[in-house]
Coordinates of all heavy atoms in Angstrom, one line a residue:
M1 N -116.3 -100.9 150.4 CA -114.8 -101.1 150.7 C -114.6 -102.4 151.4 O -115.2 -102.6 152.4 CB -114.3 -99.9 151.4 CG -112.9 -99.5 151.0 SD -112.0 -98.3 152.0 CE -113.2 -97.8 153.2
K2 N -113.7 -103.1 150.9 CA -113.5 -104.5 151.5 C -112.3 -104.3 152.5 O -111.3 -103.6 152.3 CB -113.0 -105.5 150.4 CG -114.0 -106.5 150.2 CD -113.4 -107.5 149.3 CE -114.3 -108.8 149.5 NZ -113.8 -109.9 148.6
K3 N -112.5 -104.9 153.6 CA -111.4 -105.0 154.6 C -110.2 -105.8 154.1 O -110.4 -106.9 153.5 CB -111.8 -105.6 155.9 CG -112.7 -104.7 156.8 CD -112.7 -105.3 158.3 CE -113.5 -104.5 159.1 NZ -114.9 -104.9 159.2
P4 N -109.0 -105.3 154.4 CA -107.8 -106.2 154.0 C -108.0 -107.5 154.8 O -108.5 -107.5 155.9 CB -106.6 -105.4 154.6 CG -107.2 -104.0 154.7 CD -108.6 -104.0 154.9
K5 N -107.5 -108.6 154.1 CA -107.6 -109.9 154.7 C -107.1 -110.0 156.2 O -107.7 -110.7 157.0 CB -106.9 -110.9 153.9 CG -107.5 -112.3 154.0 CD -107.0 -113.2 153.0 CE -107.7 -114.6 152.8 NZ -108.0 -115.3 154.0
V6 N -106.0 -109.3 156.4 CA -105.4 -109.5 157.8 C -106.3 -109.0 158.8 O -106.3 -109.5 160.0 CB -103.9 -108.8 157.8 CG1 -104.0 -107.4 157.3 CG2 -103.3 -109.0 159.1
L7 N -107.0 -107.9 158.5 CA -108.0 -107.3 159.5 C -109.2 -108.2 159.6 O -109.7 -108.4 160.8 CB -108.4 -105.9 159.1 CG -107.3 -104.8 159.0 CD1 -107.9 -103.5 158.6 CD2 -106.6 -104.7 160.4
H8 N -109.6 -108.7 158.5 CA -110.7 -109.6 158.5 C -110.4 -110.8 159.5 O -111.2 -111.2 160.2 CB -111.0 -110.1 157.1 CG -112.2 -110.9 156.9 ND1 -113.5 -110.4 157.0 CD2 -112.3 -112.2 156.8 CE1 -114.3 -111.4 156.9 NE2 -113.7 -112.5 156.8
N9 N -109.2 -111.4 159.2 CA -108.8 -112.5 160.1 C -108.7 -112.2 161.5 O -109.1 -112.9 162.5 CB -107.5 -113.1 159.6 CG -107.6 -113.8 158.3 OD1 -108.7 -114.2 157.9 ND2 -106.5 -114.0 157.6
F10 N -108.3 -110.9 161.9 CA -108.1 -110.5 163.2 C -109.5 -110.6 163.9 O -109.7 -111.0 165.1 CB -107.5 -109.1 163.3 CG -107.6 -108.5 164.7 CD1 -106.8 -108.8 165.6 CD2 -108.6 -107.6 165.0 CE1 -106.9 -108.4 166.9 CE2 -108.7 -107.1 166.3 CZ -107.8 -107.5 167.2
Y11 N -110.5 -110.0 163.2 CA -111.8 -110.0 163.8 C -112.4 -111.3 164.0 O -113.5 -111.4 164.7 CB -112.7 -109.0 163.0 CG -112.5 -107.6 163.2 CD1 -112.0 -106.8 162.1 CD2 -112.7 -107.0 164.4 CE1 -111.7 -105.4 162.3 CE2 -112.5 -105.6 164.6 CZ -111.9 -104.9 163.5 OH -111.7 -103.6 163.7
K12 N -111.9 -112.4 163.5 CA -112.4 -113.7 163.8 C -111.5 -114.5 164.8 O -111.8 -115.6 165.1 CB -112.5 -114.5 162.4 CG -113.5 -113.8 161.5 CD -114.1 -114.8 160.5 CE -113.1 -115.5 159.6 NZ -113.7 -116.1 158.5
S13 N -110.4 -113.8 165.2 CA -109.5 -114.5 166.1 C -110.1 -114.6 167.5 O -110.7 -113.7 168.0 CB -108.1 -113.8 166.2 OG -108.3 -112.6 166.8
P14 N -109.8 -115.7 168.2 CA -110.2 -116.0 169.6 C -109.7 -114.8 170.5 O -110.4 -114.4 171.4 CB -109.5 -117.3 170.0 CG -109.3 -117.9 168.7 CD -109.0 -116.9 167.7
A15 N -108.4 -114.3 170.2 CA -108.0 -113.3 171.1 C -108.8 -112.0 171.0 O -109.1 -111.4 172.0 CB -106.5 -113.0 170.6
W16 N -109.2 -111.7 169.8 CA -110.1 -110.5 169.7 C -111.5 -110.7 170.3 O -112.0 -109.9 171.0 CB -110.2 -110.1 168.2 CG -111.4 -109.2 167.9 CD1 -112.5 -109.5 167.2 CD2 -111.6 -107.9 168.5 NE1 -113.4 -108.4 167.3 CE2 -112.8 -107.4 168.0 CE3 -110.8 -107.0 169.3 CZ2 -113.3 -106.1 168.4 CZ3 -111.2 -105.7 169.5 CH2 -112.5 -105.3 169.1
L17 N -112.0 -111.9 170.1 CA -113.3 -112.2 170.6 C -113.3 -112.2 172.1 O -114.3 -111.7 172.7 CB -113.9 -113.6 170.0 CG -114.1 -113.6 168.6 CD1 -114.5 -115.0 168.0 CD2 -115.1 -112.6 168.1
A18 N -112.2 -112.6 172.7 CA -112.1 -112.6 174.2 C -112.0 -111.1 174.6 O -112.6 -110.7 175.6 CB -110.9 -113.3 174.5
A19 N -111.1 -110.3 174.0 CA -111.0 -108.9 174.4 C -112.2 -108.1 174.2 O -112.6 -107.3 175.0 CB -109.9 -108.3 173.5
R20 N -113.0 -108.4 173.2 CA -114.3 -107.8 172.8 C -115.3 -108.1 173.9 O -115.9 -107.3 174.4 CB -114.7 -108.4 171.6 CG -115.9 -107.8 171.0 CD -116.3 -108.5 169.7 NE -117.5 -107.8 169.1 CZ -118.8 -108.1 169.5 NH1 -118.9 -109.1 170.4 NH2 -119.8 -107.5 169.0
E21 N -115.4 -109.5 174.3 CA -116.2 -109.9 175.4 C -116.0 -109.1 176.7 O -116.8 -108.7 177.4 CB -116.0 -111.4 175.6 CG -117.2 -112.4 175.4 CD -118.4 -111.8 174.9 OE1 -118.5 -111.5 173.6 OE2 -119.4 -111.6 175.7
L22 N -114.7 -109.1 177.0 CA -114.2 -108.5 178.2 C -114.6 -107.0 178.3 O -115.1 -106.5 179.2 CB -112.6 -108.6 178.2 CG -112.0 -108.3 179.6 CD1 -112.4 -109.4 180.5 CD2 -110.5 -108.4 179.4
K23 N -114.6 -106.3 177.2 CA -114.9 -104.9 177.0 C -116.4 -104.8 177.3 O -116.9 -103.9 178.0 CB -114.6 -104.4 175.6 CG -114.8 -102.9 175.4 CD -114.0 -102.1 176.3 CE -114.6 -100.8 176.7 NZ -113.7 -100.0 177.5
I24 N -117.2 -105.6 176.6 CA -118.6 -105.5 176.8 C -119.1 -105.7 178.2 O -119.9 -105.0 178.8 CB -119.2 -106.6 175.8 CG1 -119.0 -106.1 174.4 CG2 -120.7 -106.6 176.1 CD1 -119.5 -107.2 173.3
M25 N -118.5 -106.7 178.8 CA -118.7 -107.0 180.3 C -118.3 -105.8 181.1 O -119.0 -105.4 182.1 CB -117.9 -108.2 180.8 CG -118.1 -109.4 179.9 SD -119.4 -110.5 180.6 CE -118.4 -111.4 181.9
A26 N -117.1 -105.2 180.8 CA -116.6 -104.1 181.7 C -117.5 -102.9 181.7 O -117.6 -102.2 182.6 CB -115.3 -103.7 181.1
V27 N -118.3 -102.7 180.6 CA -119.2 -101.5 180.5 C -120.6 -101.9 180.5 O -121.5 -101.2 180.2 CB -118.9 -100.7 179.3 CG1 -117.5 -100.1 179.3 CG2 -119.1 -101.4 178.0
N28 N -120.9 -103.1 181.0 CA -122.3 -103.6 181.2 C -123.0 -103.6 179.8 O -124.3 -103.5 179.8 CB -123.0 -102.9 182.2 CG -122.4 -103.0 183.6 OD1 -122.0 -104.0 184.0 ND2 -122.3 -101.9 184.2
G29 N -122.4 -103.7 178.8 CA -123.0 -103.9 177.5 C -123.7 -102.6 177.0 O -124.5 -102.7 176.0
L30 N -123.3 -101.5 177.5 CA -123.9 -100.3 177.1 C -123.0 -99.3 176.4 O -121.8 -99.3 176.7 CB -124.5 -99.5 178.3 CG -125.6 -100.3 179.1 CD1 -126.0 -99.4 180.3 CD2 -126.8 -100.6 178.3
C31 N -123.5 -98.7 175.3 CA -122.7 -97.8 174.6 C -122.0 -96.7 175.5 O -122.8 -96.1 176.4 CB -123.6 -97.0 173.6 SG -122.9 -95.7 172.7
E32 N -120.8 -96.5 175.4 CA -120.1 -95.6 176.3 C -120.4 -94.1 176.0 O -120.0 -93.3 176.8 CB -118.6 -95.9 176.2 CG -118.2 -97.3 176.8 CD -116.7 -97.5 176.9 OE1 -116.1 -96.7 177.4 OE2 -116.3 -98.4 176.1
R33 N -121.0 -93.9 175.0 CA -121.4 -92.5 174.6 C -122.8 -92.1 175.0 O -123.1 -91.0 175.5 CB -121.1 -92.2 173.1 CG -119.7 -92.5 172.8 CD -119.1 -91.8 171.6 NE -117.8 -92.2 171.4 CZ -117.1 -92.0 170.3 NH1 -117.6 -91.2 169.4 NH2 -115.9 -92.4 170.2
C34 N -123.7 -92.9 174.6 CA -125.2 -92.6 174.8 C -126.0 -93.5 175.8 O -127.1 -93.2 176.1 CB -125.8 -92.5 173.4 SG -126.1 -94.1 172.7
G35 N -125.3 -94.7 176.1 CA -126.0 -95.5 177.0 C -127.1 -96.5 176.5 O -127.6 -97.2 177.2
Q36 N -127.2 -96.5 175.2 CA -128.0 -97.5 174.5 C -127.2 -98.8 174.6 O -126.1 -98.8 174.9 CB -128.2 -97.1 173.1 CG -129.2 -95.9 172.9 CD -129.6 -95.8 171.4 OE1 -130.4 -96.6 171.0 NE2 -129.0 -94.9 170.8
I37 N -128.0 -99.9 174.2 CA -127.3 -101.1 174.1 C -126.1 -101.1 173.1 O -126.3 -100.7 172.0 CB -128.2 -102.2 173.6 CG1 -129.5 -102.4 174.5 CG2 -127.5 -103.6 173.5 CD1 -129.1 -102.9 175.9
G38 N -124.9 -101.3 173.5 CA -123.8 -101.3 172.7 C -123.5 -102.6 172.0 O -123.8 -103.7 172.6
I39 N -123.3 -102.5 170.7 CA -123.1 -103.8 170.0 C -121.8 -103.9 169.2 O -121.4 -104.9 168.7 CB -124.3 -104.0 169.0 CG1 -124.5 -102.8 168.2 CG2 -125.5 -104.5 169.7 CD1 -125.5 -102.9 167.1
E40 N -121.1 -102.7 169.0 CA -119.9 -102.8 168.3 C -118.7 -102.2 169.1 O -118.8 -101.2 169.7 CB -120.1 -101.9 167.0 CG -121.3 -102.4 166.2 CD -121.5 -101.8 164.8 OE1 -120.7 -100.8 164.6 OE2 -122.4 -102.2 164.2
V41 N -117.6 -103.0 169.1 CA -116.5 -102.5 169.8 C -115.6 -101.8 168.9 O -115.0 -102.3 167.9 CB -115.8 -103.7 170.5 CG1 -114.5 -103.2 171.3 CG2 -116.7 -104.3 171.6
H42 N -115.3 -100.5 169.2 CA -114.6 -99.7 168.4 C -113.1 -99.5 168.9 O -112.8 -99.5 170.0 CB -115.2 -98.3 168.3 CG -114.4 -97.2 167.8 ND1 -114.2 -97.1 166.4 CD2 -113.9 -96.1 168.4 CE1 -113.4 -96.0 166.3 NE2 -113.3 -95.4 167.4
H43 N -112.2 -99.4 167.9 CA -110.8 -99.2 168.3 C -110.5 -97.7 168.2 O -110.7 -97.1 167.1 CB -109.8 -99.9 167.3 CG -109.7 -101.3 167.5 ND1 -110.5 -102.3 166.9 CD2 -108.8 -102.0 168.3 CE1 -110.1 -103.4 167.3 NE2 -109.1 -103.4 168.3
K44 N -110.3 -97.0 169.3 CA -110.0 -95.6 169.3 C -108.8 -95.2 168.4 O -109.0 -94.3 167.6 CB -109.7 -95.2 170.8 CG -110.8 -95.3 171.8 CD -110.4 -94.8 173.1 CE -111.5 -95.3 174.1 NZ -111.0 -95.0 175.5
E45 N -107.8 -96.0 168.5 CA -106.7 -95.8 167.5 C -107.0 -97.0 166.4 O -107.0 -98.2 166.7 CB -105.4 -96.1 168.1 CG -104.3 -96.0 167.1 CD -102.9 -96.1 167.6 OE1 -102.7 -96.0 168.9 OE2 -101.8 -96.5 166.9
S46 N -107.4 -96.4 165.2 CA -107.9 -97.4 164.3 C -107.0 -98.4 163.9 O -105.7 -98.2 163.8 CB -108.4 -96.8 162.9 OG -108.4 -95.4 163.1
L47 N -107.4 -99.6 163.6 CA -106.6 -100.8 163.3 C -106.1 -100.6 161.9 O -107.0 -100.3 161.0 CB -107.4 -102.0 163.4 CG -107.5 -102.7 164.7 CD1 -108.0 -104.2 164.5 CD2 -106.3 -102.7 165.5
T48 N -104.9 -100.9 161.7 CA -104.4 -100.9 160.2 C -103.7 -102.2 160.1 O -103.5 -102.9 161.0 CB -103.4 -99.7 160.0 OG1 -102.3 -100.0 160.9 CG2 -104.0 -98.4 160.4
T49 N -103.3 -102.5 158.8 CA -102.6 -103.7 158.5 C -101.2 -103.6 159.3 O -100.6 -104.7 159.6 CB -102.3 -103.9 157.1 OG1 -101.8 -102.6 156.6 CG2 -103.6 -104.2 156.3
E50 N -100.7 -102.4 159.7 CA -99.4 -102.4 160.4 C -99.6 -102.6 161.9 O -98.7 -103.2 162.5 CB -98.9 -100.9 160.2 CG -98.1 -100.7 159.0 CD -99.0 -100.3 157.8 OE1 -99.9 -99.4 158.1 OE2 -99.0 -100.8 156.8
N51 N -100.6 -102.1 162.5 CA -100.7 -102.3 164.0 C -101.6 -103.5 164.4 O -101.7 -103.7 165.6 CB -101.1 -101.0 164.6 CG -102.5 -100.5 164.3 OD1 -103.3 -101.4 163.9 ND2 -102.9 -99.3 164.5
V52 N -102.2 -104.2 163.4 CA -103.1 -105.2 163.9 C -102.5 -106.3 164.7 O -103.2 -106.9 165.6 CB -103.8 -105.7 162.6 CG1 -103.0 -106.5 161.7 CG2 -105.1 -106.7 163.1
N53 N -101.3 -106.5 164.5 CA -100.6 -107.6 165.3 C -99.9 -107.0 166.5 O -99.3 -107.8 167.2 CB -99.6 -108.3 164.4 CG -100.2 -109.1 163.4 OD1 -101.1 -109.8 163.5 ND2 -99.7 -109.0 162.1
D54 N -100.1 -105.8 166.8 CA -99.5 -105.1 167.9 C -100.7 -105.2 169.0 O -101.6 -104.4 169.0 CB -99.2 -103.7 167.6 CG -98.5 -103.0 168.8 OD1 -98.6 -103.5 170.0 OD2 -98.1 -101.9 168.7
S55 N -100.6 -106.1 170.0 CA -101.7 -106.3 170.9 C -101.9 -105.0 171.8 O -103.0 -104.9 172.3 CB -101.4 -107.5 171.8 OG -100.3 -107.4 172.4
F56 N -100.9 -104.2 171.9 CA -101.0 -103.0 172.7 C -102.1 -102.1 172.0 O -102.7 -101.4 172.6 CB -99.7 -102.3 172.8 CG -99.8 -101.1 173.8 CD1 -99.9 -101.4 175.2 CD2 -99.9 -99.9 173.3 CE1 -100.0 -100.3 176.0 CE2 -100.0 -98.8 174.2 CZ -100.1 -99.0 175.6
V57 N -102.2 -102.2 170.7 CA -103.3 -101.5 170.0 C -104.5 -102.2 169.8 O -105.5 -101.9 170.2 CB -102.7 -101.0 168.7 CG1 -103.8 -100.2 167.9 CG2 -101.5 -100.0 168.9
S58 N -104.2 -103.5 169.2 CA -105.5 -104.2 168.8 C -106.3 -104.9 169.9 O -107.5 -105.0 169.8 CB -105.0 -105.3 167.8 OG -104.1 -106.1 168.3
L59 N -105.7 -105.2 171.0 CA -106.3 -105.9 172.0 C -106.4 -105.2 173.4 O -106.8 -105.8 174.4 CB -105.7 -107.3 172.3 CG -105.7 -108.3 171.1 CD1 -104.9 -109.5 171.4 CD2 -107.1 -108.6 170.8
N60 N -105.8 -104.0 173.4 CA -105.7 -103.2 174.6 C -107.1 -102.7 175.0 O -107.8 -101.9 174.2 CB -104.8 -102.0 174.3 CG -104.5 -101.2 175.6 OD1 -105.2 -101.4 176.6 ND2 -103.6 -100.3 175.5
Q61 N -107.6 -103.0 176.2 CA -108.8 -102.6 176.6 C -109.0 -101.1 176.6 O -110.1 -100.5 176.4 CB -109.1 -103.1 178.1 CG -109.3 -104.6 178.1 CD -110.6 -105.1 177.4 OE1 -111.7 -104.6 177.8 NE2 -110.5 -106.0 176.6
D62 N -107.9 -100.3 177.0 CA -107.9 -99.0 176.9 C -108.1 -98.4 175.5 O -108.4 -97.1 175.3 CB -106.7 -98.4 177.5 CG -106.5 -98.6 179.0 OD1 -107.7 -98.8 179.6 OD2 -105.5 -98.6 179.6
N63 N -107.9 -99.1 174.5 CA -108.1 -98.7 173.1 C -109.3 -99.1 172.6 O -109.7 -98.7 171.4 CB -106.9 -99.2 172.3 CG -106.9 -98.5 170.9 OD1 -107.1 -97.3 170.8 ND2 -106.7 -99.3 169.9
L64 N -110.2 -99.7 173.4 CA -111.5 -100.2 172.9 C -112.6 -99.3 173.5 O -112.5 -98.8 174.6 CB -111.7 -101.7 173.3 CG -110.6 -102.6 172.8 CD1 -110.9 -104.0 173.2 CD2 -110.5 -102.6 171.2
E65 N -113.6 -99.2 172.7 CA -114.8 -98.4 173.2 C -116.0 -99.2 172.7 O -116.2 -99.5 171.6 CB -114.7 -97.0 172.6 CG -115.7 -96.1 173.3 CD -115.6 -94.7 172.8 OE1 -114.9 -94.4 171.8 OE2 -116.1 -93.8 173.4
L66 N -117.0 -99.5 173.6 CA -118.2 -100.2 173.2 C -119.2 -99.1 172.7 O -119.5 -98.1 173.5 CB -118.9 -101.0 174.3 CG -120.1 -101.8 173.9 CD1 -119.8 -102.8 172.8 CD2 -120.8 -102.4 175.1
L67 N -119.6 -99.3 171.5 CA -120.7 -98.3 171.0 C -121.9 -98.9 170.5 O -121.9 -100.1 170.0 CB -119.9 -97.5 169.8 CG -118.7 -96.7 170.1 CD1 -118.0 -96.1 168.9 CD2 -119.0 -95.6 171.1
C68 N -123.0 -98.1 170.3 CA -124.1 -98.7 169.6 C -123.9 -98.4 168.1 O -122.9 -97.7 167.8 CB -125.4 -98.0 170.1 SG -125.4 -96.2 169.7
R69 N -124.6 -98.9 167.3 CA -124.5 -98.7 165.9 C -124.4 -97.2 165.5 O -123.7 -96.8 164.7 CB -125.5 -99.5 165.1 CG -125.3 -99.5 163.6 CD -125.8 -100.7 162.9 NE -125.0 -101.8 163.2 CZ -125.4 -103.1 163.1 NH1 -126.7 -103.2 162.8 NH2 -124.8 -104.1 163.4
E70 N -125.4 -96.5 166.0 CA -125.4 -95.1 165.7 C -124.2 -94.3 165.9 O -123.6 -93.6 165.1 CB -126.5 -94.4 166.5 CG -127.9 -94.4 165.9 CD -128.9 -94.1 166.8 OE1 -129.0 -92.8 167.2 OE2 -129.8 -94.9 167.1
C71 N -123.7 -94.5 167.2 CA -122.5 -93.8 167.7 C -121.3 -94.2 166.8 O -120.4 -93.5 166.5 CB -122.3 -93.9 169.1 SG -123.5 -93.0 170.1
H72 N -121.3 -95.5 166.5 CA -120.2 -96.1 165.8 C -120.2 -95.5 164.4 O -119.1 -95.2 163.8 CB -120.2 -97.6 165.8 CG -118.9 -98.3 165.4 ND1 -118.8 -99.5 165.0 CD2 -117.7 -97.8 165.5 CE1 -117.5 -99.8 164.8 NE2 -116.8 -98.8 165.2
N73 N -121.4 -95.5 163.7 CA -121.4 -94.9 162.4 C -121.0 -93.5 162.4 O -120.3 -93.0 161.5 CB -122.9 -95.0 161.9 CG -123.1 -96.4 161.4 OD1 -122.3 -97.2 161.0 ND2 -124.4 -96.8 161.4
M74 N -121.4 -92.8 163.5 CA -121.0 -91.3 163.5 C -119.6 -91.2 163.7 O -118.9 -90.4 163.0 CB -121.7 -90.8 164.8 CG -121.9 -89.3 164.9 SD -123.6 -89.0 164.6 CE -124.2 -89.3 166.3
E75 N -119.0 -92.1 164.5 CA -117.5 -92.1 164.7 C -116.7 -92.3 163.4 O -115.7 -91.6 163.1 CB -117.1 -93.2 165.7 CG -115.7 -93.3 166.0 CD -115.1 -92.1 166.7 OE1 -115.9 -91.4 167.4 OE2 -113.9 -91.8 166.5
H76 N -117.2 -93.1 162.6 CA -116.6 -93.3 161.2 C -117.1 -92.6 160.2 O -116.8 -92.7 159.0 CB -116.6 -94.9 161.0 CG -115.8 -95.7 161.8 ND1 -114.5 -95.9 161.6 CD2 -116.1 -96.3 163.0 CE1 -114.0 -96.7 162.6 NE2 -114.9 -96.9 163.4
K77 N -118.1 -91.6 160.5 CA -118.7 -90.8 159.5 C -119.1 -91.6 158.2 O -118.8 -91.3 157.1 CB -117.7 -89.7 159.1 CG -117.3 -88.8 160.3 CD -116.7 -87.5 159.8 CE -116.5 -86.6 160.9 NZ -115.5 -87.1 161.9
R78 N -119.8 -92.7 158.5 CA -120.2 -93.5 157.4 C -121.3 -92.9 156.6 O -121.6 -93.4 155.5 CB -120.6 -94.9 157.9 CG -119.4 -95.8 158.3 CD -119.9 -97.1 158.9 NE -118.8 -97.8 159.4 CZ -119.1 -98.8 160.4 NH1 -120.2 -99.1 160.7 NH2 -118.1 -99.5 160.9
F79 N -122.0 -92.0 157.2 CA -123.1 -91.4 156.5 C -122.8 -90.1 155.7 O -123.7 -89.4 155.4 CB -124.1 -91.1 157.6 CG -124.7 -92.3 158.3 CD1 -125.5 -92.1 159.5 CD2 -124.6 -93.5 157.8 CE1 -126.0 -93.2 160.1 CE2 -125.1 -94.6 158.4 CZ -125.9 -94.4 159.6
S80 N -121.6 -90.0 155.3 CA -121.2 -88.7 154.8 C -121.8 -88.7 153.3 O -122.4 -87.7 153.0 CB -119.7 -88.6 154.8 OG -119.0 -89.7 154.4
K81 N -121.4 -89.6 152.4 CA -121.7 -89.4 151.1 C -122.6 -90.4 150.4 O -122.5 -91.6 150.5 CB -120.3 -89.4 150.3 CG -120.1 -88.2 149.4 CD -118.9 -88.5 148.5 CE -117.6 -88.1 149.1 NZ -116.4 -88.5 148.3
G82 N -123.5 -89.9 149.7 CA -124.4 -90.7 148.8 C -125.3 -91.6 149.6 O -125.7 -92.7 149.0
V83 N -125.5 -91.4 150.8 CA -126.4 -92.2 151.6 C -127.7 -91.6 151.9 O -127.8 -90.4 152.2 CB -125.7 -92.6 152.9 CG1 -126.5 -93.4 153.8 CG2 -124.3 -93.3 152.6
K84 N -128.8 -92.3 151.7 CA -130.1 -91.7 151.9 C -130.9 -92.4 153.1 O -130.7 -93.6 153.4 CB -130.9 -91.8 150.6 CG -130.3 -90.9 149.6 CD -131.3 -90.7 148.5 CE -130.8 -89.8 147.4 NZ -129.8 -90.5 146.6
F85 N -131.7 -91.7 153.7 CA -132.6 -92.3 154.8 C -134.1 -92.2 154.3 O -134.5 -91.3 153.6 CB -132.4 -91.5 156.0 CG -131.0 -91.6 156.6 CD1 -130.1 -90.6 156.2 CD2 -130.6 -92.5 157.4 CE1 -128.9 -90.6 156.6 CE2 -129.3 -92.5 157.9 CZ -128.4 -91.6 157.5
D86 N -134.8 -93.2 154.8 CA -136.3 -93.0 154.6 C -136.9 -92.1 155.7 O -136.2 -91.6 156.5 CB -136.9 -94.5 154.6 CG -137.0 -95.1 155.9 OD1 -136.6 -94.5 157.0 OD2 -137.1 -96.4 155.9
S87 N -138.3 -91.9 155.7 CA -138.8 -91.0 156.6 C -138.6 -91.3 158.1 O -138.8 -90.4 158.9 CB -140.3 -90.8 156.3 OG -140.9 -92.1 156.3
E88 N -138.4 -92.6 158.3 CA -138.2 -92.9 159.7 C -136.7 -93.0 160.1 O -136.4 -93.5 161.1 CB -138.7 -94.4 160.0 CG -140.3 -94.4 159.8 CD -140.8 -95.8 159.9 OE1 -140.3 -96.7 159.2 OE2 -141.8 -96.0 160.7
G89 N -135.9 -92.5 159.2 CA -134.5 -92.4 159.6 C -133.7 -93.8 159.3 O -132.6 -93.9 159.8
N90 N -134.3 -94.7 158.6 CA -133.6 -95.9 158.3 C -132.7 -95.7 157.0 O -133.1 -95.0 156.1 CB -134.6 -97.1 158.1 CG -135.4 -97.4 159.3 OD1 -134.8 -97.6 160.4 ND2 -136.7 -97.4 159.1
L91 N -131.6 -96.4 157.1 CA -130.7 -96.4 156.1 C -131.3 -97.0 154.8 O -131.7 -98.1 154.8 CB -129.4 -97.0 156.5 CG -128.2 -96.8 155.5 CD1 -127.8 -95.4 155.4 CD2 -127.0 -97.5 156.2
L92 N -131.3 -96.3 153.7 CA -131.7 -96.9 152.4 C -130.6 -97.4 151.7 O -129.5 -96.7 151.4 CB -132.5 -95.9 151.6 CG -133.8 -95.5 152.2 CD1 -134.4 -94.3 151.3 CD2 -134.8 -96.6 152.2
N93 N -130.7 -98.6 151.1 CA -129.8 -99.2 150.2 C -128.3 -98.9 150.6 O -127.5 -98.2 149.9 CB -130.0 -98.5 148.8 CG -129.2 -99.1 147.7 OD1 -128.8 -100.3 147.9 ND2 -128.9 -98.4 146.7
P94 N -127.8 -99.5 151.6 CA -126.4 -99.2 152.1 C -125.5 -99.9 151.1 O -125.6 -101.1 150.8 CB -126.4 -100.0 153.4 CG -127.6 -100.8 153.6 CD -128.6 -100.5 152.5
E95 N -124.7 -99.1 150.5 CA -123.7 -99.4 149.5 C -123.8 -100.9 148.9 O -123.3 -101.8 149.5 CB -122.3 -99.3 150.1 CG -122.0 -97.8 150.4 CD -120.5 -97.7 150.8 OE1 -119.7 -97.7 150.0 OE2 -120.3 -97.7 152.0
K96 N -124.5 -101.0 147.9 CA -124.5 -102.2 147.2 C -123.9 -102.2 145.8 O -124.3 -101.6 144.9 CB -126.0 -102.6 147.0 CG -126.5 -103.6 148.1 CD -127.9 -104.0 147.8 CE -128.7 -104.3 149.1 NZ -130.1 -104.3 148.9
H97 N -122.6 -102.7 145.9 CA -121.8 -102.6 144.6 C -121.8 -104.1 144.1 O -121.6 -105.0 144.9 CB -120.4 -102.1 144.9 CG -120.5 -100.7 145.3 ND1 -121.1 -99.7 144.6 CD2 -120.1 -100.1 146.5 CE1 -120.9 -98.6 145.3 NE2 -120.4 -98.8 146.5
R98 N -121.6 -104.2 142.8 CA -121.6 -105.5 142.2 C -120.0 -105.8 142.2 O -119.2 -105.1 142.0 CB -122.1 -105.5 140.9 CG -123.6 -105.7 141.0 CD -124.2 -105.9 139.6 NE -123.9 -104.7 138.8 CZ -124.1 -104.7 137.4 NH1 -124.4 -105.8 136.8 NH2 -123.9 -103.6 136.7
Ligands
ZN101 ZN1 -124.4 -94.8 171.3
ZN102 ZN1 -114.9 -98.3 165.0

């Protein structure tokens, strides 16, 4: 699934990068759920093309959560359909569409 362009642009904006940095600093770079190194900043209220320009949603520290990849995947239930793991639990062939 491709992100709508407006969301794609948002994730490259200096305002977002600053808000993201701030969040990471605020929680010492650790996943807020499991305490591993957090690498992805999640929007509790998901971003849509409608609210992406509403800084109360898109840039609000209270709406952000630092997560590790596992917790983030879990949050978005990315592992639901047609996804396979190898014996070590690594994701195999993550959606490759032409
Ligand atoms: Zn985690
Ligand atoms: Zn997320």
Side-chain angles (χ1 to χ4, degrees):
M1 219 187 356
K2 250 189 161 179
K3 280 202 182 90
K5 200 168 196 314
V6 57
L7 294 183
H8 185 79
N9 289 340
F10 170 77
Y11 283 114
K12 296 205 303 198
S13 71
W16 163 246
L17 294 176
R20 188 181 179 280
E21 240 7 77
L22 199 65
K23 180 71 208 176
I24 293 173
M25 306 266 276
V27 299
N28 299 315
L30 299 177
C31 172
E32 292 186 59
R33 301 203 182 171
C34 72
Q36 291 188 71
I37 302 291
I39 45 171
E40 303 185 355
V41 176
H42 166 69
H43 282 89
K44 294 180 195 173
E45 178 177 340
S46 349
L47 277 197
T48 65
T49 49
E50 279 84 49
N51 67 21
V52 65
N53 291 315
D54 180 353
S55 59
F56 188 75
V57 176
S58 59
L59 299 172
N60 184 352
Q61 291 292 308
D62 290 339
N63 190 39
L64 303 179
E65 192 176 14
L66 183 64
L67 299 176
C68 69
R69 186 152 286 156
E70 272 167 63
C71 290
H72 200 201
N73 282 336
M74 203 103 79
E75 178 64 29
H76 289 276
K77 303 199 171 62
R78 284 176 189 162
F79 291 165
S80 47
K81 234 193 271 171
V83 175
K84 295 198 176 71
F85 298 90
D86 66 18
S87 56
E88 292 174 312
N90 296 310
L91 189 58
L92 289 175
N93 189 24
E95 295 184 80
K96 268 185 202 153
H97 298 300
R98 282 183 297 164

